[in-house]
Amino acid sequence: MCEHTDFHYIDDVLSCEDVRLDHLAETYGTPLYVTSKRSLEESARQFEEAFASLPHMTCYSVKANFNLSVIRTFARQGFGCDVNSGGELFRALNAGVSAEKIIFAGVGKKDEEIGYALDSGVLMLKAESLSELRAIDREASARGVVAPVALRINPNVTAETHPYITTGDSKEKFGIDEAGLEEAFSLLRTLGSVRLVCLDMHIGSQIFDPEYYVAATAVLLDIFETAKSLGFSIGYLDIGGGFPVTYDPRKPATPISHFAEKLIPMLAPAGVPVIFEPGRFLVANASVLLSKILYRKRNHTGKMFFIVDAGMTELIRPALYQSHHEVLSVTRHEQTVVADVVGPVCESSDFFARHRTLDDAAEGELIAVMSAGAYAAVMSSNYNGRLRPAEVMVDGSNVKLIRRRETYEQLIADELF
Ligand code: LLP
């Protein structure tokens, strides 16, 4: 079904931990994101266990799921955060993450965001271009502080994943490539209000083959040696996120331990703590998107559609990356049917599954779109005047509402005549 056992059938009803999903739908309505707290904690535990022998810091990449309660769950495990904007920094701080565990990333930070990060006292700001280094220096100098910075390296390693989520290739906008580094190091020497504390990379997302990390880490370590020989004293190496999860049981993800086995022997001799920025790995399989079958429709070609009350506005991954998500019937049926599972949005890309064998559930019944914890709620929108769903977190037999369903009033609240 999925990597974690916290979504399972109890008496033929799909449940999250000890709570039946049909009961959640009755109480909170649909569409509804349902998150298992135990799954979050379990993926955190797996990650930490894999890298236990390496001095490191895990900074949860909040872009994957920025709900305050999710961030807080990881903060309580001692994790820091990787944030990509002022808004994510605001969320992380409000979730209770201390600033000295927050890394501020992003290829296009505005002066106000740099200022906000400096005023908050974040662990470091990543710089992805020479102009950005100068901007950080300016903001720090105006405040009379020295900004700790990481240089994001573009190692020119093209990891095999969806082209929209590969980031370590020199044709992409991310990081500074090797040819630009000499200039970056010279510039760093002349700037009085920045201090280089870390070398960083992030080669993409949902990467199955550890060899891409090995290749990119080799480049990073080379640069680390060069920087040391130039007199920089670098306190951390950050190898980013991107670790894979299983969306499709026919394509199981490489276990995290395989990444650790390759990376620990390479990174340990560097003698500095390593920063990891996992997002998807920690959250993807901890949530489902619960939705109701509004209508079943068979067209004249015999094709069957399940029209459900969630759509691409709640989970855009199939539309954007052609990604596979399992769709399970909340109540089990013996009979199956081949159908497309589609939403109410006026786009043909508004689908969760195509030509999929599904339980032969009736109108009014519930389905769960699995693996909806990462890049789902965070990428949701109000397109078509849709209201963002409520979110609940299950902990054993306890359920907490962690985000209220949006209202029509909220849709227009910021508009002026
Ligand atoms: N660090 C940096 C600098 C990143 O840009 C990202 C993700 C991460 C860490 C976390 O990567 P993860 O461990 O989650 O793979 N919306 C796409 C994924 C975009 C990833 C963007 N950067 C999707 O739904 O597949």
Side-chain angles (χ1 to χ4, degrees):
M1 172 164 54
C2 69
E3 273 183 333
H4 299 291
T5 52
D6 293 311
F7 292 93
H8 45 208
Y9 285 93
I10 302 178
D11 299 334
D12 280 343
V13 179
L14 190 61
S15 304
C16 176
E17 303 194 16
D18 304 335
V19 179
R20 291 165 53 134
L21 294 186
D22 55 347
H23 290 171
L24 290 177
E26 267 164 40
T27 312
Y28 299 98
T30 54
L32 182 71
Y33 297 103
V34 181
T35 297
S36 155
K37 188 167 183 217
R38 202 157 63 199
S39 287
L40 297 176
E41 289 169 348
E42 172 56 19
S43 50
R45 193 198 59 74
Q46 276 178 23
F47 194 88
E48 290 311 290
E49 186 180 271
F51 289 103
S53 67
L54 184 72
H56 72 276
M57 173 172 170
T58 305
C59 289
Y60 167 54
S61 193
V62 313
K63 61 174 70 77
N65 186 328
F66 56 39
N67 183 286
L68 296 181
S69 302
V70 172
I71 300 175
R72 180 165 291 183
T73 303
F74 294 124
R76 292 210 168 124
Q77 312 275 314
F79 286 10
C81 280
D82 153 56
V83 302
N84 199 64
S85 67
E88 285 191 351
L89 174 57
F90 183 73
R91 280 185 172 275
L93 292 170
N94 274 281
V97 183
S98 52
E100 64 269 20
K101 289 186 173 175
I102 298 179
I103 300 173
F104 194 97
V107 71
K109 302 177 202 68
K110 299 177 79 160
D111 287 352
E112 305 90 89
E113 291 178 300
I114 295 169
Y116 178 29
L118 291 172
D119 294 339
S120 306
V122 298
L123 177 63
M124 65 183 82
L125 292 94
K126 291 186 193 174
E128 300 211 23
S129 64
L130 303 189
S131 302
E132 195 182 16
L133 263 181
R134 289 189 199 95
I136 297 172
D137 184 71
R138 255 192 334 265
E139 289 299 316
S141 158
R143 287 167 172 76
V145 297
V146 175
V149 295
L151 272 193
R152 177 160 174 186
I153 311 300
N154 184 320
N156 197 16
V157 168
T158 312
E160 192 185 332
T161 182
H162 191 281
Y164 288 2
I165 52 178
T166 180
T167 52
D169 184 309
S170 60
K171 67 179 186 303
E172 305 300 344
K173 67 184 173 182
F174 299 101
I176 300 172
D177 60 18
E178 266 190 288
L181 279 173
E182 208 181 301
E183 209 182 335
F185 287 134
S186 316
L187 178 64
L188 274 162
R189 285 222 201 74
T190 65
L191 299 175
S193 300
V194 290
R195 183 166 50 90
L196 180 63
V197 297
C198 177
L199 295 174
D200 161 77
M201 68 182 201
H202 170 75
I203 55 172
S205 197
Q206 186 66 350
I207 297 167
F208 273 52
D209 187 347
E211 290 308 321
Y212 294 112
Y213 284 86
V214 169
T217 301
V219 176
L220 194 74
L221 288 168
D222 254 9
I223 299 166
F224 179 59
E225 289 309 317
T226 308
K228 279 199 302 194
S229 70
L230 291 170
F232 291 102
S233 105
I234 289 166
Y236 304 90
L237 289 173
D238 180 341
I239 69 152
F243 305 102
V245 301
T246 302
Y247 284 100
D248 183 344
R250 293 165 304 180
K251 294 183 191 151
T254 317
I256 193 69
S257 56
H258 293 203
F259 291 84
E261 279 157 21
K262 298 269 175 168
L263 289 173
I264 293 173
M266 289 184 84
L267 287 163
V272 295
V274 172
I275 296 173
F276 295 104
E277 302 173 356
R280 187 191 313 270
F281 180 86
L282 296 174
V283 293
N285 279 319
S287 310
V288 302
L289 174 58
L290 185 60
S291 180
K292 187 159 85 180
I293 303 170
L294 298 173
Y295 306 110
R296 287 169 50 127
K297 143 162 136 177
R298 196 180 281 283
N299 73 12
H300 69 281
T301 67
K303 191 174 163 82
M304 172 71 100
F305 296 93
F306 282 18
I307 300 163
V308 302
D309 70 354
M312 65 189 292
T313 36
E314 288 74 52
L315 179 70
I316 202 172
R317 305 193 67 258
L320 206 51
Y321 318 110
Q322 301 77 46
S323 56
H324 178 98
H325 285 260
E326 289 290 281
V327 177
L328 297 181
S329 178
V330 170
T331 308
R332 265 188 177 149
H333 293 263
E334 300 253 308
Q335 296 276 24
T336 57
V337 61
V338 174
D340 282 15
V341 182
V342 301
V345 175
C346 58
E347 303 267 349
S348 301
S349 56
D350 180 31
F351 66 89
F352 294 125
R354 284 197 156 141
H355 203 72
R356 195 71 73 74
T357 303
L358 302 158
D359 280 21
D360 195 9
E363 293 182 354
E365 289 195 40
L366 300 164
I367 55 133
V369 185
M370 306 305 287
S371 312
Y375 307 109
V378 288
M379 295 177 84
S380 64
S381 80
N382 292 125
Y383 181 47
N384 271 204
R386 308 254 315 151
L387 303 176
R388 285 194 176 78
E391 299 178 33
V392 294
M393 190 181 282
V394 174
D395 183 9
S397 54
N398 293 323
V399 183
K400 256 198 205 143
L401 181 66
I402 58 171
R403 181 177 173 130
R404 283 192 285 267
R405 187 175 303 283
E406 273 182 350
T407 61
Y408 287 148
E409 288 69 31
Q410 279 174 287
L411 283 186
I412 59 167
D414 296 324
E415 288 172 44
L416 311 166
F417 278 117

